[in-house]
Every structure is written in structure tokens, then in C-alpha cells.
Amino acid sequence: MATKILALACLRSEGSGHLSPRPHYPSMPRYPKGVTVEEGTTNIPSKALFSVTGMTCSACAASVEKAVKRLPGIRQAVLDVLNNRAQVLFYPSFVNEETIREAIEDAGFEATLVRDDSNNETSVQVCRIRIQGMTCTSCSSTVESALQSIQGVVKAQVALATEEAEVHYTPNVVTYNQILEAVEDTGFEATLISTGEDMSRIDLQVEGIRTHRSMRLIENSLQALPGVQGVETHPELNKVSLSYKPHLTGPRNFINVIEETGSRRFKAKIFPEEGGRRNSHRREEIKQYYRSFLWSLVFTIPVFLTSMVLMYIPGIKHGLDAKVVNMLTVGEIVRWVLATPVQFIIGKRFYSGAYKALRLGSPNMDVLIALGTNAAYFYSVYSVLRAATSQGFKGTDFFETSAMLISFILLGKYLEVLAKGKTSNAIAKLMNLTPDTAILLTLDSEGNVVGEEEIDSRLIQKNDVIKIIPGAKVASDGFVIWGQSHVNESMITGEARPVAKRKGDTVIGGTVNENGVLHVKATWVGSESALSQIVRLVESAQMAKAPVQKLADRISKYFVPLVVILISFSTWLAWFLAGRFHSYPKSWIPSSMDSFQLALQFGISVMVIACPCALGLATPTAVMVGTGVGASQGILIKGGQALENAHKVNCVVFDKTGTLTIGKPVVVNTKLLTNMVLREFYELVAAVEVVNSEHPLAKAIVEYAKKLRDEENPTWAEARDFVSIAGHGVKAIVRNKEILVGNKTLLADHNVALPVDAEDILAEAEAMAQTGIIVSINREVVGVLAVSDPLKPAAQEVISFLKSMKIRSIMVTGDNWGTANSIAREVGIETVIAEAKPEQKAERVKDLQASGNRVAMVGDGINDSPALVAADVGMAIGAGTDIAIEAADIVLMKSNLEDVITAIDLSRKTFSRIRLNYMWALGYNLLGIPIAAGALFPSIRFRLPPWVAGAAMAASSVSVVCCSLLLKYYRRPKKLDNLRYGA
């Protein structure tokens, strides 16, 4: 398991590593695990660029992308509508350019192959940007549209809940600085979080710098180091920011270079804010809203008291009603003086946000608040000035309306950002797993320990040897070179039981060493570590929008103008005209106001209460909490789309080997059909299979052959002209003999006759759910092996549980029909597809989809990746291959089949929460707007003052976020707790 989690750290950017139609998780490894560079050249994905004629909008691009993505062997597909291009990364062994071109044309567009870019080093990079100032969906949509309009930007996603943007861009067309400028041009503050997933970043504080020349000297010295990608200096902070490749250099090298520069007068250390910068902006935002709210209360409470409380106390009432000039009273002056700072100083953020929104033609919440408060404030100013210049005017001011409205909205925003901060607790917990310090060992040339030193864990570099004492956290990903212990990996994988570790075993940074002392050699550090990769995957998943959110975005886009132009203005006009033409009794009008003022209050209340903020938060907050909960239980869900598709699943397709079975087959029987020594027989077979050692059956054969040799690392005869036939077997020349190892189809394809005895042996093995493997030497069958792969302990119960959820289970395997049917009967699966090649698995998935099923595919091997991509939801077993993990939408890190049920159940609970959020947000507006407009006033004289409407609007957003936060208490179905855990 640890090996596979560490494999996440290998998922590096190669070529166009970020041009994926599923771009929300680390990119795939260049070669399949266990394959060398020379062997892997046939597995390198090729890149092709197509000119596509006829695309006019994003819907067209989506059609082309879907058509291409459904093909087997497609790794990435990126559509550029502006330039009418499609760039596709594919595996030539599964699909070719012509097939892709035909698929595009079948979608209704003309396609021409422009060039093959497989050797082009130009890549698409990903940068993450923090955006401050967004208040509602309208803001995030504006920024997203601005980013997508930039030439060179391949994809842009803006998340309101996290206040971040993820931008996929071509660096030779546009720079991240230009992207930041584009965000700031929309009126929001932009800060770069990271750029390029192939680099690590670190900030260093340098002491002793007195001149710009010293800073330039340090910059030049660092830039000369191998592996340093970029150096940025900040002289005012004595700060140096570096981007580097961790496999070539590291922070200790930088500190040494700085301290050796300039006669050792400089001292360097990691910049103090490095550890807390991830959440510092959120904390600062919370503090700002809290301070603003407190200051608003200082002025608003006296305004409220003078207008609604003190007016009923006889002595004080007389003082407040005292005339100053004509009809102008002391109370009006006091309220004017106190309300003005709230309106223009504390409420400045709403004016700023409204101006930016209107300048871009995209009105948002700030526009509604600014209009509502300005209407109340400036009417009050008019009333005061009229009273000061008239001897008979008796007016009423609404200063308390504008001040209290702003105060309640600030309170709501404070509670909202406080709650939103809690939705990303999963990431914070993951980040806190890394220990602050580590014990660095110094070894001599013979590997003996000659010294140890406690260092900051962020100073660990690749190939360092770290000492892990009992009870301490593992400081870095690596492998054990000395010692043995048990390590608790539950915080990473969700697996509760400690895992035994000894020499050669891999360990994951952030896990806890339980008893013995371990010496670990660091292999993946910084941004390459498994923990960083998981954090990045969860962050990207939380960025990804669920399709259901598009509805909210469309509603929000038109909702604000509709409210201002139609509903709010119409409400004011209707009540004003009704009052002017005496359409209702004068007794309806409160004694403190006239018909115009009453109409104005109704109009302001509608404007304020109708803000669609809650609608914009309904989906992203639930997705954030749902993916975080999944990660804490060892289920990595790659975004909102995966969650949405998973809750609709009604058919699950299981691979057999490594998914339903443990995936560690063993040879249980051997039958020779000719006079031959068993050891000699296995030496020939193992020589062929050792080349194919990543296949589970090949591993089993090689391990059995090792026992016959009684050697730990035996050498095998050379296998020449090796050929692997997917789903059938292998062929090679060993000691000038042609060896075939595989199934009946392989022998039939090579015209090798199968004896009756071999047929009987195969039938007997298959009846016992064993896999029969036939061995042919020089076109003659010489033996049959029987390999058994035990079922996972909970397989039968999981299939039964899925039936109770009304989900159909199907098994698909490349194994023979006899073995497949035996396994299926044992676990309770009725539909079986056997002897299927990888592309045939994908075709079966598509057939099921064509029948109206929502299909989830659960697999673990390279041969499952086409089916994982084709399925509505691909679920990869965490102990599977890197390519399967990359191709999947959901990764089950514990490799337990029960987690298939947990993933589906969690997605259903999350979308149930999203539906509840939408019901609340929409229902609140549908109910609140008529009440604010005065629908109840004629019958029961109930009206909603503007400040109450503001409080209700703020409360709706807070309630939606809190509703999403309840997902944190999700527990998987109780029946699963009784199932036995898988191996």
C-alpha cells in the first residue's frame, strides 16, 4: 500500500502533463511502474494536434472532448475553441491519430491532423491564485470569464468557497504575471500561491544584507546552482524565494551557498511565515470582518437606541426632539453624524465591490447592498436638509436602516468566512501531519552512523538518511535501510492496523512510528512527497465544479439585474402609486412615515433580501466537506463531477484479479505432460515471465520457480524476442526454444494443438476457481500450471450489500470463462464477462452505458485504465498500478472493497446535502421576496424592515455553509463495520 501511495509522488509533468480532461489531480508517470526507460518507450504517450473546424462555443468543445475521451487509450484531451484546435495525448498501442480524427468527425466537426508533438518540450503548466474580494457567484464567474479569455490559457476554474483559481496555461504564450494582472483588472486582489507542479518553492530569510549589491551577489550565486529554476529577491524583507527541482538540490544547499558567499557574513534560515501562509489569508479576512463589525456596532447601537428605544423615555425624548434649526431636531443630527462613518468608511468595501462589478457589467451582492443602503441614507439626508430649511416639514429619517443593514451584513459575512474556513479542515489536518523537526544522520563511506543532528523537517533533501524514533512521525517519504518497527498509516490511508516495516520497505511522510527505531533514506521531498500530492489532489478536487453548480451560476448571472430592475423597483413603484391614488386606507401607514417612505422601505427590503449568495455556496461548500471527509477515510475523490456521477451509479463493474481477489496469486499445482525435470521446466517458464514481472500471475510463477532454485536472487536464462499479448499470455525464445505461456486463445493463435489431457486438467482447475496456464515448448504443450488467487474476505458481503442498494454487480476479466464463472458464483455475481482484452473491457462499459446504466468501474491494473476512463465513475484500488490510479475518478487507498460502498454512499449523502442547500437557498428567496415586498402587509400588517431583511440574507448564507459542515459527521453504513477488512 505504502509503495502505491508513494507512487503518487512520481506523477510528474511530462510533455503536456497538464492537458488532461480530468486536470484536477497529479499527472501520470511517464512509464508504467516496473518498466525501464528502454522497455517503456512503447508505452510513452504520443501527442497529436488537430485543427477542428466548426467549433463555435464551449458546448461544441465539450462534444468533441467527450467523443475523444470515450476512445480507449486516451490520456488527455484539451480543446481550444478560440484557435479551433484539439490537442490529444494518447497511447499508440490502443488508438492512433486516424481513429481520433474519425471520432472528432463523427461528433459533427471537420478535423485535420496538424502535427505530431510527441517530442515537443513545451508543456502546459498549472498555477494557483488566491483571489480576495469575491462575495458571490457573480464575482467568481466574472473572474473565470476574464481568465478564459486570455490567449494561452487552456483551462481556468475559480472556486468561490476557497477563494482560489486554478489556471492551466501555456507558458510560452502567456506568463503567470499576465494572468495575475488579468485578475486584478477585474477589480480583485490576486496573489500567486504556486506555479508549475514540477517544482518546489521555499522562502529564505537572509540576515546581514546591507546593500542591493549584496542581494544581487546572493541571487547570482543561487541561480548558478543546478536544479534552481527561479530566484526572486525581496530586499525590503531580506527575503529570497526559490523554485527548484528537489531531485537535484535542496534548501540546505541554498543556506550553505548563502552563508559561504561574502566571507560568511550572511546568515540564512527558512522564512518564519513559510509554515502558516496557507491559512494566513483566511485568518486575516476573519480578523478584518470582525474588526469592521465591532466598529460598526460602536456607531450603530447609538443610532438604534436614539431611533427606537430612547424615543419612548420621556426625559430623553424631549431632548432628542429639541429643535436646532427650523424642524431639524437634535436626534436627527446625532443619527446623521453616527450613521455617516458606517455608510462611507466601514461600508467602503461595498462601494468598491459595486463599482468594480458595474464596471465589468456583472452586478453582484455589493451592488444590491450599496443601492439599498444608499437609498435609505440619502433619503434620510434629504429629509434632514428639508427639515432644516422648512418650518412645517415633518419627515422621518432611515439612518438606522442603513447603519443596521451594514452591521448585520458584516456580522453575516464574519460568520460565513468563519464557517467556510472550517470546510477546508481536511487539508489543514493533512498539512499538520508533517513533523516540525527531524533527526539527520551522517554516515561514513561504509554506511556506519558517525553523527546525528536535529534539523527543521523542511530542510530534508533527497537521499538524506533520517532517524525515526518510537512515537515520532516519519519526516519524509523514503525506504527503510536499517531497523524494523510497526508504522501507523491511518492518517494517510485510513487503514487502522499498524503496518510492519523492515529493511527495504517504503514509508510515508506524516505517518507514526510505533515501537522500533528506523533509519529511512529520503526519496521524495517537498512538493514531490505523497502527502503533498494528496493535499494537491484534495485541493484540486475542491476547486472542481460539479455540473449541478452550473444551474446556480446561470441563475445568479441574471438574478441581480432582475431583482434591481423588475422586482425591487416594481415593488417600490406599486406601493408608491397605491399610496398616491389612495388604493389602501391611510391607517395602514405607520404614524412615523408617509406613503412614499413606506414604499421605499418595501423596495429596499426586497433589494437586500434577494441576494443569491446562498445559492452560490450551496454546491462548493458541500463538495469541499465531502471530498475532505472522503480523504480522511482513505477515499480520494477527484472533484465535484466524480461526486455527482457516483451518486447516480446503478451498475458496478469489477475487475477480478487484485480487485475481487487479493491480487497475490500462488502456484498450487503443476502437471507435466512430457518427461521433463520440474526445475528445468520452471527455469524456462520463469525466464520468460521475469520479463513480464509486473503481472500478478507472472510474479506467482517466478516466486514458485525461486523456491525450486533455493536461491534468494537467482539469475535466469536470457529471453529473446519477448512479446506480450494483452489478455492472452507471453512468447519468447529461451535457450533457442520457442516458449509460449498463456491461455487457450494464445495457443490457438499460434496453431498449437491442445491435448485432451491438458483440456481435462484445465477444466478441473477452473472448476476450483483456479486459473489454468498452459506452457508450450517448440509448438508442443508440455505442462499446465494451476494458479489460485484467494478472494478478498469481504467480497461476498460487499456484492450482497450493493444488491440491497439496488446496484447491479458485473465481473469483467481477462481470465478464462471457467475460472471467472467459479469466482462469480462464489461472490454472488450473476453477470460475467471473461477473456476480455483491455479495449474490450472499455467496450463492455460503453455497451452498459448505451443501455441507460450509470456505470462505475473498479479496477487496479494497467489493463483496466481504458475501462476506468470510459466509465461514468472510475474507481482505482489503491494498491493498483500508477496508471490505473491516474485514470480513475476515485482512488480507494485502503484497497478494501467496502470502500466502493462508502464512496457511493458518501456521494449520495453529499448530493442529498446539496439538494437540501438548494431547497433552502431557493426556498428562502421564493418565500422571503414576497414577504419583503409586503405580501402579508394588507392582511396582518406585517412588514420586513430593511435591516431585518439584511440579517435574514446574511443568515441564509451562514445556514447553507453550516448545513454543508454537518457532512463532517458522516459515518459509513453501520453494516460495513461488521465486515472483515481486506488484506
PDB file of all heavy atoms in Angstrom, residues 299-310:
ATOM      1  N   PHE A 299     -21.019  52.569  16.330  1.00  0.00           N
ATOM      2  CA  PHE A 299     -21.856  53.658  15.816  1.00  0.00           C
ATOM      3  C   PHE A 299     -23.321  53.249  15.675  1.00  0.00           C
ATOM      4  O   PHE A 299     -24.221  54.066  15.855  1.00  0.00           O
ATOM      5  CB  PHE A 299     -21.324  54.104  14.440  1.00  0.00           C
ATOM      6  CG  PHE A 299     -19.949  54.693  14.498  1.00  0.00           C
ATOM      7  CD1 PHE A 299     -18.837  53.934  14.180  1.00  0.00           C
ATOM      8  CD2 PHE A 299     -19.768  56.014  14.885  1.00  0.00           C
ATOM      9  CE1 PHE A 299     -17.569  54.478  14.231  1.00  0.00           C
ATOM     10  CE2 PHE A 299     -18.491  56.569  14.942  1.00  0.00           C
ATOM     11  CZ  PHE A 299     -17.386  55.802  14.624  1.00  0.00           C
ATOM     12  N   THR A 300     -23.568  51.975  15.346  1.00  0.00           N
ATOM     13  CA  THR A 300     -24.936  51.546  15.045  1.00  0.00           C
ATOM     14  C   THR A 300     -25.800  51.435  16.297  1.00  0.00           C
ATOM     15  O   THR A 300     -26.991  51.782  16.264  1.00  0.00           O
ATOM     16  CB  THR A 300     -24.916  50.194  14.310  1.00  0.00           C
ATOM     17  OG1 THR A 300     -24.179  50.336  13.105  1.00  0.00           O
ATOM     18  CG2 THR A 300     -26.319  49.729  13.966  1.00  0.00           C
ATOM     19  N   ILE A 301     -25.224  50.949  17.392  1.00  0.00           N
ATOM     20  CA  ILE A 301     -26.020  50.796  18.619  1.00  0.00           C
ATOM     21  C   ILE A 301     -26.594  52.135  19.082  1.00  0.00           C
ATOM     22  O   ILE A 301     -27.792  52.231  19.396  1.00  0.00           O
ATOM     23  CB  ILE A 301     -25.195  50.106  19.725  1.00  0.00           C
ATOM     24  CG1 ILE A 301     -24.973  48.631  19.357  1.00  0.00           C
ATOM     25  CG2 ILE A 301     -25.903  50.216  21.077  1.00  0.00           C
ATOM     26  CD1 ILE A 301     -24.064  47.887  20.304  1.00  0.00           C
ATOM     27  N   PRO A 302     -25.786  53.225  19.115  1.00  0.00           N
ATOM     28  CA  PRO A 302     -26.392  54.517  19.479  1.00  0.00           C
ATOM     29  C   PRO A 302     -27.473  54.968  18.487  1.00  0.00           C
ATOM     30  O   PRO A 302     -28.486  55.549  18.900  1.00  0.00           O
ATOM     31  CB  PRO A 302     -25.197  55.485  19.446  1.00  0.00           C
ATOM     32  CG  PRO A 302     -24.009  54.629  19.683  1.00  0.00           C
ATOM     33  CD  PRO A 302     -24.329  53.328  19.021  1.00  0.00           C
ATOM     34  N   VAL A 303     -27.261  54.714  17.182  1.00  0.00           N
ATOM     35  CA  VAL A 303     -28.278  55.074  16.187  1.00  0.00           C
ATOM     36  C   VAL A 303     -29.567  54.317  16.474  1.00  0.00           C
ATOM     37  O   VAL A 303     -30.669  54.894  16.457  1.00  0.00           O
ATOM     38  CB  VAL A 303     -27.776  54.762  14.755  1.00  0.00           C
ATOM     39  CG1 VAL A 303     -28.907  54.947  13.746  1.00  0.00           C
ATOM     40  CG2 VAL A 303     -26.615  55.663  14.392  1.00  0.00           C
ATOM     41  N   PHE A 304     -29.441  53.015  16.752  1.00  0.00           N
ATOM     42  CA  PHE A 304     -30.608  52.184  17.051  1.00  0.00           C
ATOM     43  C   PHE A 304     -31.329  52.683  18.309  1.00  0.00           C
ATOM     44  O   PHE A 304     -32.554  52.799  18.342  1.00  0.00           O
ATOM     45  CB  PHE A 304     -30.164  50.735  17.227  1.00  0.00           C
ATOM     46  CG  PHE A 304     -31.234  49.817  17.730  1.00  0.00           C
ATOM     47  CD1 PHE A 304     -32.238  49.375  16.889  1.00  0.00           C
ATOM     48  CD2 PHE A 304     -31.249  49.392  19.054  1.00  0.00           C
ATOM     49  CE1 PHE A 304     -33.245  48.530  17.342  1.00  0.00           C
ATOM     50  CE2 PHE A 304     -32.238  48.554  19.522  1.00  0.00           C
ATOM     51  CZ  PHE A 304     -33.233  48.121  18.664  1.00  0.00           C
ATOM     52  N   LEU A 305     -30.546  53.009  19.342  1.00  0.00           N
ATOM     53  CA  LEU A 305     -31.141  53.454  20.604  1.00  0.00           C
ATOM     54  C   LEU A 305     -31.881  54.770  20.432  1.00  0.00           C
ATOM     55  O   LEU A 305     -33.003  54.947  20.944  1.00  0.00           O
ATOM     56  CB  LEU A 305     -30.057  53.580  21.674  1.00  0.00           C
ATOM     57  CG  LEU A 305     -29.420  52.268  22.152  1.00  0.00           C
ATOM     58  CD1 LEU A 305     -28.271  52.546  23.107  1.00  0.00           C
ATOM     59  CD2 LEU A 305     -30.459  51.362  22.812  1.00  0.00           C
ATOM     60  N   THR A 306     -31.265  55.718  19.692  1.00  0.00           N
ATOM     61  CA  THR A 306     -31.905  57.040  19.554  1.00  0.00           C
ATOM     62  C   THR A 306     -33.149  56.981  18.686  1.00  0.00           C
ATOM     63  O   THR A 306     -34.041  57.829  18.810  1.00  0.00           O
ATOM     64  CB  THR A 306     -30.920  58.053  18.940  1.00  0.00           C
ATOM     65  OG1 THR A 306     -30.450  57.552  17.687  1.00  0.00           O
ATOM     66  CG2 THR A 306     -29.742  58.297  19.877  1.00  0.00           C
ATOM     67  N   SER A 307     -33.244  56.015  17.805  1.00  0.00           N
ATOM     68  CA  SER A 307     -34.392  55.978  16.899  1.00  0.00           C
ATOM     69  C   SER A 307     -35.492  55.037  17.367  1.00  0.00           C
ATOM     70  O   SER A 307     -36.656  55.233  16.996  1.00  0.00           O
ATOM     71  CB  SER A 307     -33.948  55.565  15.498  1.00  0.00           C
ATOM     72  OG  SER A 307     -33.422  54.247  15.511  1.00  0.00           O
ATOM     73  N   MET A 308     -35.166  54.038  18.184  1.00  0.00           N
ATOM     74  CA  MET A 308     -36.168  53.021  18.506  1.00  0.00           C
ATOM     75  C   MET A 308     -36.372  52.762  19.995  1.00  0.00           C
ATOM     76  O   MET A 308     -37.339  52.103  20.363  1.00  0.00           O
ATOM     77  CB  MET A 308     -35.800  51.695  17.825  1.00  0.00           C
ATOM     78  CG  MET A 308     -35.823  51.769  16.317  1.00  0.00           C
ATOM     79  SD  MET A 308     -35.618  50.148  15.556  1.00  0.00           S
ATOM     80  CE  MET A 308     -35.767  50.582  13.822  1.00  0.00           C
ATOM     81  N   VAL A 309     -35.473  53.227  20.851  1.00  0.00           N
ATOM     82  CA  VAL A 309     -35.606  52.937  22.282  1.00  0.00           C
ATOM     83  C   VAL A 309     -35.763  54.216  23.092  1.00  0.00           C
ATOM     84  O   VAL A 309     -36.745  54.408  23.824  1.00  0.00           O
ATOM     85  CB  VAL A 309     -34.393  52.117  22.788  1.00  0.00           C
ATOM     86  CG1 VAL A 309     -34.520  51.869  24.296  1.00  0.00           C
ATOM     87  CG2 VAL A 309     -34.288  50.797  22.038  1.00  0.00           C
ATOM     88  N   LEU A 310     -34.794  55.110  22.964  1.00  0.00           N
ATOM     89  CA  LEU A 310     -34.779  56.327  23.789  1.00  0.00           C
ATOM     90  C   LEU A 310     -35.951  57.249  23.475  1.00  0.00           C
ATOM     91  O   LEU A 310     -36.318  58.101  24.300  1.00  0.00           O
ATOM     92  CB  LEU A 310     -33.454  57.073  23.584  1.00  0.00           C
ATOM     93  CG  LEU A 310     -32.190  56.275  23.939  1.00  0.00           C
ATOM     94  CD1 LEU A 310     -30.936  57.105  23.701  1.00  0.00           C
ATOM     95  CD2 LEU A 310     -32.234  55.819  25.407  1.00  0.00           C
TER      96      LEU A 310
END
